[in-house]
Amino acid sequence: MGYTKEQLLARLKELDINFTQHEHPLVLTVEAQAQHVGHLGGALSKNLFLKDKKNRFYIVSALADTKVDMKVLSQRLGLGKGGVRMAPEEALAEILQVPLGCVTPFSLVNGTARHVSLILDQGFRSKECCIFHPLSNDMSIVLSAHDLDKFLKSIGRNPAYVDLEATPVVGKDQPPDLASLVPSDTTALSEPKLVTTSQVPLQNHDVQDNKPLKVTGKSDKQLNDIKNSKDKPAVAEKSSKTFADSQFFVNDILEKASALVISEITEENVKQHGEQLGAVVSNNIRKHLSSELNNLAALFKNAAYTEGFQAGIRSMQILFKG
C-alpha cells in the first residue's frame, strides 16, 4: 500500500518543509482546483503521467498555462515523434499508487515509482510558491520550489527543471537535449492472470445465456468432461469464476462508472452545459453503461450457477468414493 496523504504531510513536517494545506471538495481539473485555491496566489500545476513504447514511465509537472507538445517532448527525449503517450489507468494504481487526478511529484515517494522519470517545468523556479495535491485531490498544499526540491532530494531525486515550451532542433549533429532524463529501467505492469478450464469448469457457455445449468444423472460423463478439460485452451481471468467474488463485481462496476464520469467532465462540457452538466453526465452514464451492466449481471448470475454445479460435482465425488 502506498503513502497516504497524512503520511506525506507528516514526512514534510519531519523534513522541516514550510507549507500550508487547504482542504476543498474533490476536484478533477486544474480549473476546478483554481476555484478553491486560485486566490492564494500560488502557481497551479498540471501533471501528466506518460509512458513510452518500452514501458518506461514519466511524470511531467508543468505550470497550468505551459503548453506541452507531446511530439516535441518525444523528440527531445530521443524517442521519435510518437515516443510518449498517456500511461494506462492501471499504471496509476500499480506504479504511482494514486487515483486519477492525483498525479504530482509527490507520487514518487512510493517505492513502486522508483524508475519513473520526473520532468519539471523551469517556470516553477520563478514563482514565489507552487500548488500541488498531496496524493489526494481533496486537498492542495502550497510550498516553494526550493522546498519541493528539498523533498525530492530526501527521496533520492535530483530535480530536473527544463523549458517545456522550447523546440530545439534534433538531428544528426544535434542530439536530443533531454535524453538523459529517459529512465534506464523499464517497469512491467502485471499481466492479467490466466486460468485453465480445469480450474473453471463449464466455461464454454455463452455469458449472455441466463438459463441455469442443468445437472443430470450422468455424473460419470460430467466427471470425465472436467478431467479432460485440462487439454482445453486457457481463458481470461474475467470469467464467471472471477465474478463469483461479489467484491470484484462491485469494483468492476465502480471502475467503469468512475472512468465514464471523468471522461465526461471536460472543460468543453462544463462551458457548454453549465449547471445542467450533472444531468447530462447522468444521462450519458445510463446510456453507455446499460449494456455493460447487463453483461456484468449475466456474468455474475452464471457464476452463481457454476458455483452450484461445482458443489454438486464435489458431493457426487464424495458419494462415489464412499
Side-chain angles (χ1 to χ4, degrees):
M1 181 178 178
Y3 263 63
T4 65
K5 171 179 63 180
E6 292 74 19
Q7 289 173 322
L8 174 63
L9 297 178
R11 179 157 187 169
L12 295 179
K13 291 176 182 178
E14 289 175 1
L15 293 170
D16 198 24
I17 287 177
N18 295 317
F19 69 94
T20 57
Q21 61 189 66
H22 307 270
E23 295 184 352
H24 51 69
L26 186 147
V27 294
L28 297 172
T29 64
V30 177
E31 292 76 16
Q33 183 186 22
Q35 294 178 9
H36 302 287
V37 296
H39 65 282
L40 299 175
L44 291 167
S45 65
K46 57 184 177 184
N47 298 271
L48 308 176
F49 186 38
L50 310 175
K51 71 178 288 292
D52 63 26
K53 295 178 181 179
K54 294 185 178 181
N55 279 333
R56 295 173 297 200
F57 292 84
Y58 310 76
I59 290 178
V60 176
S61 187
L63 293 173
D65 56 357
T66 294
K67 295 179 181 179
V68 180
D69 188 318
M70 300 276 278
K71 291 183 179 179
V72 173
L73 179 61
S74 294
Q75 290 181 311
R76 295 179 67 186
L77 289 167
L79 305 174
K81 291 185 178 180
V84 292
R85 65 196 69 183
M86 297 302 294
E89 185 178 339
E90 57 267 24
L92 287 173
E94 189 169 333
I95 298 176
L96 299 186
Q97 299 193 46
V98 296
L100 283 170
C102 300
V103 176
T104 71
F106 294 115
S107 307
L108 300 178
V109 71
N110 292 309
T112 48
R114 61 187 176 278
H115 297 312
V116 177
S117 179
L118 175 64
I119 302 174
L120 293 162
D121 188 345
Q122 69 176 16
F124 285 126
R125 285 185 162 176
S126 64
K127 302 298 180 180
E128 184 176 347
C129 55
C130 312
I131 303 176
F132 298 96
H133 291 311
L135 306 180
S136 178
N137 52 356
D138 60 357
M139 177 185 286
S140 296
I141 61 174
V142 183
L143 76 169
S144 67
H146 172 75
D147 280 322
L148 175 62
D149 291 350
K150 187 175 181 180
F151 164 77
L152 291 171
K153 290 176 181 178
S154 78
I155 59 173
R157 297 284 184 150
N158 186 26
Y161 290 89
V162 303
D163 181 358
L164 290 171
E165 293 186 335
T167 56
V169 176
V170 176
K172 183 178 179 181
D173 299 323
Q174 296 164 307
D177 62 318
L178 303 183
S180 62
L181 299 181
V182 175
S184 58
D185 295 303
T186 61
T187 303
L189 294 177
S190 300
E191 294 293 334
K193 297 179 181 179
L194 297 179
V195 293
T196 63
T197 49
S198 60
Q199 294 171 303
V200 188
L202 299 182
Q203 281 298 300
N204 58 348
H205 63 277
D206 190 344
V207 296
Q208 299 294 333
D209 181 7
N210 295 332
K211 297 178 181 179
L213 300 173
K214 296 181 180 179
V215 180
T216 68
K218 299 179 181 179
S219 57
D220 288 338
K221 182 179 183 303
Q222 291 167 336
L223 291 174
N224 286 334
D225 288 344
I226 294 173
K227 180 179 180 180
N228 294 334
S229 67
K230 294 179 180 179
D231 299 327
K232 296 181 180 179
V235 295
E237 182 183 27
K238 188 175 283 188
S239 60
S240 61
K241 184 173 180 65
T242 303
F243 279 89
D245 180 356
S246 60
Q247 187 59 50
F248 182 93
F249 178 72
V250 171
N251 287 344
D252 207 5
I253 292 176
L254 292 176
E255 286 177 6
K256 291 179 183 297
S258 175
L260 185 55
V261 169
I262 290 171
S263 69
E264 291 288 336
I265 302 177
T266 63
E267 183 177 358
E268 181 181 351
N269 282 344
V270 171
K271 291 180 179 179
Q272 181 179 353
H273 302 291
E275 295 181 355
Q276 299 300 316
L277 181 61
V280 173
V281 171
S282 177
N283 289 334
N284 285 342
I285 288 176
R286 290 176 181 275
K287 178 180 177 181
H288 290 96
L289 285 188
S290 178
S291 60
E292 288 278 2
L293 295 181
N294 283 334
N295 289 341
L296 290 174
L299 284 167
F300 194 63
K301 186 174 182 180
N302 283 328
Y305 292 139
T306 302
E307 289 294 305
F309 176 81
Q310 290 174 314
I313 291 297
R314 287 193 291 270
S315 296
M316 285 187 284
Q317 288 176 324
I318 295 173
L319 179 63
F320 283 116
K321 285 181 180 179

